[in-house]
Amino acid sequence: MERAGHDNALLAHSGKNTHVPQKQGKSRTALILYGSETGNAQDVAEEVGRMAERLRFDTTVLDMDSAQLKDIVKPTAVIFALSTTGQGEMPQNARLFWKTLLSGALKSGILRRVRFSSFGLGDSSYARYNVAHRMLCGRMQQLGARLFSERGEGNEQHPEGHSAGFREWIVSLKQGLLDSFPLFGRVEPIADDQFLEPKWKLDLSEHVAMSNGYSHALDSTNGDSAAVGVTGHLTNGHAVEKGEEDGEAQTVPSPALMPVKGAHIAKVVAHERVTAPGHFQDVRLADLRLEDQILYGPGAIAVIYPKNFPGDIQEFIDLMEWQSVADRPLALRPNANHDLGQDHSPSPLRHLALTNVTLTLRWLLENVLDIMSVPRRSFFASLSHFANRDNEDSAYQKERLLELANPELIDELWDYTTRPKRTILEVMMDFTTIKIPWQYCLSVLPMMKGRQFSIASGGHLKTDDVGRTRVQLLVAIAEPPSPIIKYRRRYGVCTRYMASLRAGQELAIGIQEGYLDVRPSELVVPIVMIGPGTGLAPMRAMIWQRLLWSQATQVKAGGKGRLDGDILIFGCRNEDGDYFFRDEWETFLSQHGLTVLTAFSRDKDKPRQYVQDQIRQNATRIRQALLEQKGKVYVCGSSGNMPKGVREALIDILAMEQGQQGNMGREEAEEYLDRMEKQGRYKQETW
């Protein structure tokens, strides 16, 4: 509240002045703010920032919560990139800004000096598609801000994902910027084929002072770290000569903790496979312990920060010919060609606490740079600046890069990257004439982002016998096949790292509250939980938590059991292959009255079933829970067909045969589900 009050006071003072047309000085400034859960909106914001910089705007790209309300009054243009999460909610790094924007102390017209545009990222499988973005635009205009270019939206359900909508919108945004804030005199935009110097660069440093607030590297004489040359590399903060490690140390990431600000240290107690040995997919139950006392509820999320593997790192170093500098201490410094005042772009490593880290290229490749991701179009655009036409091979590769960077040739990009799941490392194996200058790697290569996993523990499972916080995760180890690349296995970057963890190992994790917002007051109504596959994780947490709440409050103390009326609908491939926590459900059924409905899609001796089939087969029971008892629905699991199929099945059972008493038609059933969602009685969390 102090921050909101401070902002209001500053804005209220400026709001007393009459409106004056904005004067264009020598500097045109653009503030690009993003609210991002998985990193997609951040990628959009960074691409918008590069485009604005080519139009000669002095640009700053920040997450929304890093900006105060007074900051959006200063720039020439403000541009938002915002994803919608949960049930039409703001991402974690946009909530504080949104709360400030909603303050009742803000008067209409207080943002009348602000010219803005925005792009929303959503998933139309959610009923509240792109709602957060639309609410932001509405509130900005309510406070007097004006659009200089129409807002745009991207849909993850489109075959090209949100990129299809973004590609169209950024063209109109560029024209809107030029029309509303024209360049001066004969100044022209910076050509697309001209390299933009990044605002931060890496530099060699054998001895770097930490007092300047910018450089990130240790004094090479510091006893807590070792500065090594080309003959060794850093493992867990210490120099290790080549050939000194054992076989496993050479093949798995360093056990050194990721120095993420605000993260918690978790110890792996167990990490066991929970699918049958012959089952096609490896699913693990990771059992973690935190010394910190963390309170979390059903639907909470653990953020895991992945690492790349030594073999891939060395391959990339060799491809880029970075061997001579890979293990030398570095400093991250502001580029001398840019004026980095306090209102300008902060360090790209600001989320890391680097006081006790010796920064090297090898460390960055293991912990920061996402060389195993499928590249986006902007990567090829950046790469093209390091290509030349000195010979036939280099000329061909430059032309090919320009094709992949061309937004009009989206099919080319799809066929080369997305369809075969080709990684950046593999791209560089194809473009052998291109060598990325290591000084620019933080601006050319994408950053690894933490991956979110729904926590599977709740109730009594949230603490262990000695009072430590317990976090359990149900993790499917991703090894997606490629229809084209057969010589190299595909991996999920984070789940491959998690599969390498061993009991006793420590890792840094984040804990977020999530979006299901389950409360003890819900005990008075039944809940219908639909969670196929690993979507079962938050449902398990919810069931254990409801049991504990019931025991603590004596709600549902009598009757058939403390979970009487609650319905769990679980789907998987095989009853003997991937029926997770089967023993627990049998206990909850016999001792606490939980109804468990299962659907197995690949059992040879049973008809093929999915969770929506179980909804239809148990129509009377589910209708009673939702209509008569005003129960709630929770849907978790993979996005795409499943949530759509579940919604259709619920509409079908609500819209029973015409003529029956208490019946509603299909249109009424759809309206009823919409009302449930607005009332917080229908919640969906898919990924």
Side-chain angles (χ1 to χ4, degrees):
M1 293 303 293
E2 287 182 354
R3 171 178 154 178
H6 178 63
D7 290 335
N8 295 340
L10 286 167
L11 285 171
H13 175 72
S14 64
K16 293 176 183 178
N17 299 324
T18 57
H19 178 62
V20 178
Q22 186 171 11
K23 293 182 179 179
Q24 295 283 342
K26 289 185 178 181
S27 176
R28 293 145 70 247
T29 57
L31 175 63
I32 296 98
L33 298 175
Y34 62 85
S36 185
E37 200 71 41
T38 61
N40 287 333
Q42 182 177 351
D43 290 336
V44 165
E46 289 170 352
E47 185 160 352
V48 169
R50 288 188 289 270
M51 183 271 290
E53 195 169 346
R54 290 194 178 278
L55 299 183
R56 301 190 183 274
F57 281 87
D58 186 1
T59 63
T60 301
V61 180
L62 290 171
D63 64 276
M64 289 168 66
D65 279 355
S66 291
Q68 296 187 25
L69 204 57
K70 63 180 180 179
D71 297 328
I72 69 173
V73 180
K74 301 175 184 178
T76 309
V78 179
I79 303 167
F80 294 94
L82 180 65
S83 63
T84 295
T85 58
Q87 303 304 116
E89 294 164 289
M90 294 284 167
Q92 300 280 349
N93 61 0
R95 291 182 171 185
L96 191 58
F97 181 89
W98 177 239
K99 183 178 179 181
T100 304
L101 204 63
L102 288 178
S103 171
L106 297 177
K107 298 178 181 179
S108 177
I110 201 169
L111 299 183
R112 64 184 179 275
R113 297 176 184 271
V114 177
R115 303 292 303 279
F116 81 104
S117 186
S118 63
F119 184 79
L121 296 86
D123 186 328
S124 61
S125 68
Y126 286 75
R128 295 176 65 78
Y129 167 65
N130 259 317
V131 164
H133 171 234
R134 295 170 188 177
M135 290 193 301
L136 173 68
C137 288
R139 182 57 175 163
M140 289 289 292
Q141 290 175 297
Q142 187 180 43
L143 294 175
R146 293 176 295 150
L147 285 166
F148 68 83
S149 179
E150 288 300 313
R151 61 181 173 86
E153 291 183 348
N155 184 359
E156 290 302 330
Q157 292 301 310
H158 190 281
E160 298 171 18
H162 69 268
S163 298
F166 176 64
R167 189 171 67 251
E168 295 178 5
W169 173 77
I170 198 170
V171 172
S172 64
L173 176 70
K174 181 177 180 179
Q175 192 59 51
L177 285 167
L178 286 171
D179 291 344
S180 300
F181 316 107
L183 290 160
F184 306 106
R186 297 182 179 180
V187 177
E188 295 290 332
I190 300 171
D192 289 341
D193 60 356
Q194 185 174 338
F195 178 62
L196 287 177
E197 282 279 341
K199 295 181 179 179
W200 294 83
K201 288 175 61 176
L202 291 168
D203 188 18
L204 287 175
S205 181
E206 296 298 333
H207 185 95
V208 180
M210 299 300 295
S211 60
N212 59 16
Y214 287 136
S215 298
H216 297 301
L218 283 181
D219 184 332
S220 60
T221 61
N222 190 319
D224 292 335
S225 66
V228 297
V230 297
T231 59
H233 63 269
L234 295 178
T235 299
N236 203 12
H238 301 283
V240 179
E241 294 299 318
K242 289 182 178 177
E244 186 178 318
E245 305 153 294
D246 60 29
E248 181 170 301
Q250 294 177 18
T251 58
V252 299
S254 160
L257 291 171
M258 269 289 289
V260 179
K261 293 178 181 177
H264 307 281
I265 299 175
K267 177 175 285 189
V268 180
V269 173
H271 195 218
E272 299 175 352
R273 178 171 176 142
V274 292
T275 45
H279 191 68
F280 82 101
Q281 188 169 38
D282 180 2
V283 179
R284 309 280 183 94
L285 181 63
D287 198 0
L288 311 177
R289 298 291 187 278
L290 286 72
E291 296 295 338
D292 296 337
Q293 298 298 308
I294 308 295
L295 299 177
Y296 64 86
I301 293 165
V303 182
I304 305 296
Y305 303 96
K307 295 189 175 195
N308 286 320
F309 280 61
D312 298 327
I313 295 166
Q314 189 59 51
E315 273 193 278
F316 196 85
I317 289 171
D318 293 341
L319 284 166
M320 295 298 99
E321 299 179 357
W322 290 349
Q323 297 93 331
S324 64
V325 293
D327 301 296
R328 296 182 64 180
L330 304 175
L332 178 62
R333 306 178 193 268
N335 195 324
N337 295 330
H338 290 277
D339 174 25
L340 290 185
Q342 64 178 16
D343 294 331
H344 291 254
S345 294
S347 161
L349 300 181
R350 64 188 180 278
H351 63 293
L352 299 175
L354 296 171
T355 305
N356 297 315
V357 173
T358 298
L359 203 63
T360 66
L361 284 172
R362 193 180 302 275
W363 188 90
L364 289 169
L365 287 167
E366 179 181 60
N367 299 284
V368 176
L369 299 171
D370 203 357
I371 59 172
M372 302 308 292
S373 63
V374 176
R376 299 177 184 271
R377 183 174 59 81
S378 57
F379 171 73
F380 293 101
S382 296
L383 211 58
S384 67
H385 296 298
F386 308 115
N388 58 57
R389 292 186 171 91
D390 292 346
N391 55 54
E392 186 177 347
D393 285 346
S394 58
Y396 168 78
Q397 291 187 15
K398 184 176 181 68
E399 289 303 317
R400 182 62 174 149
L401 287 172
L402 293 173
E403 287 178 357
L404 294 169
N406 188 340
E408 301 302 320
L409 301 177
I410 193 68
D411 289 343
E412 289 286 332
L413 182 65
W414 175 271
D415 289 339
Y416 181 68
T417 60
T418 309
R419 183 165 173 258
K421 302 178 176 65
R422 196 184 307 272
T423 67
I424 286 176
L425 175 61
E426 290 165 336
V427 167
M428 301 315 298
M429 293 176 182
D430 287 346
F431 291 88
T432 53
T433 66
I434 312 299
K435 309 300 177 188
I436 302 171
W438 58 265
Q439 295 92 334
Y440 301 131
C441 67
L442 286 173
S443 60
V444 176
L445 297 170
M447 300 277 194
M448 272 198 291
K449 300 175 178 68
R451 269 58 164 187
Q452 298 177 328
F453 295 88
S454 293
I455 295 176
S457 44
H460 294 291
L461 298 181
K462 294 196 297 185
T463 55
D464 65 7
D465 295 339
V466 295
R468 295 179 299 179
T469 301
R470 186 185 195 186
V471 172
Q472 292 185 314
L473 306 176
L474 188 64
V475 180
I477 306 302
E479 295 183 355
S482 170
I484 295 174
I485 302 175
K486 305 294 185 182
Y487 64 89
R488 193 183 187 100
R489 290 176 67 182
R490 310 291 94 189
Y491 297 100
V493 173
C494 189
T495 59
R496 183 189 184 196
Y497 164 66
M498 293 188 70
S500 74
L501 298 175
R502 299 291 180 265
Q505 189 169 338
E506 292 184 335
L507 69 158
I509 71 170
I511 302 291
Q512 298 175 354
E513 62 183 21
Y515 300 98
L516 295 183
D517 192 27
V518 184
R519 302 183 181 185
S521 58
E522 296 180 15
L523 287 173
V524 297
V525 298
I527 58 173
V528 179
M529 298 163 283
I530 305 162
T534 55
L536 185 63
M539 307 309 183
R540 178 179 184 247
M542 198 179 310
I543 290 167
W544 277 99
Q545 191 64 53
R546 282 173 68 88
L547 177 62
L548 179 63
W549 282 338
S550 176
Q551 292 168 341
T553 61
Q554 293 304 305
V555 175
K556 291 188 176 181
K560 298 179 181 178
R562 295 188 182 277
L563 299 174
D564 182 35
D566 292 349
I567 302 170
L568 171 65
I569 306 176
F570 171 66
C572 64
R573 293 173 72 92
N574 309 106
E575 185 172 9
D576 296 328
D578 54 346
Y579 187 179
F580 307 131
F581 311 118
R582 180 175 183 170
D583 293 343
E584 289 185 18
W585 309 138
E586 291 175 354
T587 299
F588 283 127
L589 171 64
S590 62
Q591 297 184 11
H592 303 293
L594 177 69
T595 297
V596 181
L597 307 174
T598 54
F600 305 112
S601 63
R602 298 294 187 275
D603 268 346
K604 295 180 180 179
D605 58 342
K606 299 182 181 69
R608 179 174 295 196
Q609 280 203 326
Y610 299 96
V611 288
Q612 50 265 46
D613 297 317
Q614 281 293 333
I615 293 172
R616 292 185 175 95
Q617 290 175 17
N618 293 271
T620 302
R621 178 181 295 174
I622 296 172
R623 274 175 57 91
Q624 183 180 25
L626 301 186
L627 295 177
E628 298 177 20
Q629 299 173 292
K630 305 301 180 186
K632 295 191 171 188
V633 173
Y634 293 93
V635 183
C636 295
S638 298
S639 63
N641 292 330
M642 185 276 292
K644 293 178 181 177
V646 165
R647 194 176 185 90
E648 283 297 311
L650 289 171
I651 290 171
D652 287 345
I653 69 168
L654 292 174
M656 299 293 285
E657 295 280 339
Q658 290 288 339
Q660 291 187 8
Q661 188 173 5
N663 162 63
M664 61 175 75
R666 183 173 183 82
E667 186 175 338
E668 292 174 288
E670 291 176 352
E671 292 174 354
Y672 187 81
L673 276 187
D674 288 342
R675 287 198 301 274
M676 284 183 61
E677 193 156 24
K678 291 175 182 177
Q679 295 164 357
R681 292 176 53 210
Y682 188 102
K683 296 185 179 181
Q684 177 179 317
E685 184 63 41
T686 55
W687 48 86

